[in-house]
Amino acid sequence: MGPIESLREILKCREDIKLYPKYNRIYASGNFYWTGALNYGLDRGNQPYYCPIGWQRRSFYVTDNFCERFKGWCICYHGTKFKHDLSILLSGLKPAETKAHGDGIYASPSTNYACHPRYSEVKRIKSSSRKLFFKSGNYVQFVVECRVHPKYIRKIGKETLGAEKPIIDSNIPNDSIEWVIDYQNKSIVDFNDSSASIVCSGLMIRVTDDHPGLLPQSQSWYESHICNYPKCCALGIDLEHL
Ligand SMILES: [Zn+2]
């Protein structure tokens, strides 16, 4: 499924499940923007929440009284490739198959880590679809925004891209950029289950004119891991062009 068809399907299905446009956001200077950890508004648990600069959020309806129900739950992100999007968004999250930090669902407090092309596919937007969905831009990436209660964060571990030195996210140390979430021994953590350890609260979208591999915040790709094998790094173009 291509990115546009995928997004159309996501939005169509999520229309049935309910989008929550009141909480859609554009995270950029002049819109929703802050520096450092956000310390007002919702109680977001024991982990800092930094501005996911350059991303937009399409917010999902999760439940009535969301603020009360998820008081103290932390925000994290889960990178997705397009073949997984629908199954993730409509049903839940599967435990990771690659388990560098043990069994669980892998997420990150950093959009910049979650969107590494090993986790989040880069797709070129066809010109015919551009105006309809994105207004402008040539490339798109998605990551899923989730909420997790601190008690379900089984482990906070180091990055697994081989990035010993490069800074992946200026706000978050490399040694605490991967979270392993308790999957409660389920083959899939169902978002409709009120006792789920992690819920999906939105879809983060980044649209760029140039390939995201050319963004300054993507420099760590080249100092850690990046490859031309599409099943590993879904760059959407040949690495030689970056
Ligand atoms: Zn790779």
Side-chain angles (χ1 to χ4, degrees):
M1 191 180 284
I4 308 309
E5 292 76 14
S6 179
L7 180 62
R8 189 181 283 135
E9 281 295 305
I10 291 165
L11 295 179
K12 181 171 165 288
C13 295
R14 275 287 167 176
E15 254 171 45
D16 298 338
I17 295 173
K18 286 188 198 171
L19 289 162
Y20 209 5
K22 181 182 170 188
Y23 290 102
N24 287 355
R25 297 285 183 263
I26 295 171
Y27 299 102
S29 181
N31 285 278
F32 281 86
Y33 180 78
W34 65 94
T35 54
L38 188 64
N39 288 318
Y40 62 87
L42 282 176
D43 177 351
R44 299 180 186 85
N46 61 357
Q47 300 294 328
Y49 175 43
Y50 299 103
C51 184
I53 298 166
W55 291 80
Q56 306 169 34
R57 177 176 73 193
R58 302 284 174 94
S59 202
F60 296 154
Y61 174 85
V62 178
T63 179
D64 286 341
N65 305 317
F66 179 87
C67 297
E68 272 305 303
R69 171 68 182 79
F70 293 98
K71 188 177 176 186
W73 288 52
C74 309
I75 292 178
C76 58
Y77 306 97
H78 184 89
T80 65
K81 291 180 176 170
F82 286 91
K83 62 178 178 160
H84 297 310
D85 273 355
L86 271 179
S87 60
I88 286 172
L89 289 168
L90 298 181
S91 48
L93 288 175
K94 278 179 156 180
E97 288 165 13
T98 310
K99 306 167 185 173
H101 294 300
D103 287 347
I105 291 166
Y106 281 62
S108 174
S110 166
T111 46
N112 208 43
Y113 185 70
C115 77
H116 184 283
R118 201 167 77 178
Y119 312 121
S120 168
E121 188 168 357
V122 179
K123 278 283 188 181
R124 193 176 169 87
I125 303 168
K126 285 182 202 160
S127 57
S128 57
S129 306
R130 200 166 296 150
K131 281 184 187 164
L132 194 59
F133 285 101
F134 301 108
K135 293 182 186 162
S136 64
N138 294 315
Y139 295 91
V140 62
Q141 283 188 285
F142 297 155
V143 299
V144 179
E145 183 202 63
C146 302
R147 296 289 205 286
V148 62
H149 191 279
K151 71 181 177 186
Y152 297 122
I153 303 175
R154 197 177 255 181
K155 181 177 178 183
I156 294 181
K158 75 182 205 60
E159 56 74 33
T160 51
L161 290 169
E164 294 294 328
K165 289 183 184 159
I167 295 167
I168 297 170
D169 189 312
S170 57
N171 287 313
I172 300 162
N174 286 10
D175 63 4
S176 54
I177 209 162
E178 276 205 7
W179 296 357
V180 185
I181 313 299
D182 187 348
Y183 67 111
Q184 300 169 312
N185 295 318
K186 293 174 181 168
S187 58
I188 193 158
V189 176
D190 183 353
F191 291 140
N192 295 315
D193 176 357
S194 61
S195 65
S197 54
I198 183 166
V199 297
C200 175
S201 47
L203 182 67
M204 303 294 287
I205 304 172
R206 180 169 71 180
V207 178
T208 52
D209 291 333
D210 295 323
H211 191 284
L214 298 171
L215 295 171
Q217 59 267 43
S218 303
Q219 283 312 297
S220 61
W221 297 4
Y222 308 101
E223 297 165 55
S224 57
H225 173 87
I226 194 76
C227 75
N228 232 350
Y229 183 50
K231 283 190 176 170
C232 178
C233 290
L235 278 167
I237 60 170
D238 196 299
L239 185 54
E240 285 181 8
H241 294 128
L242 290 175

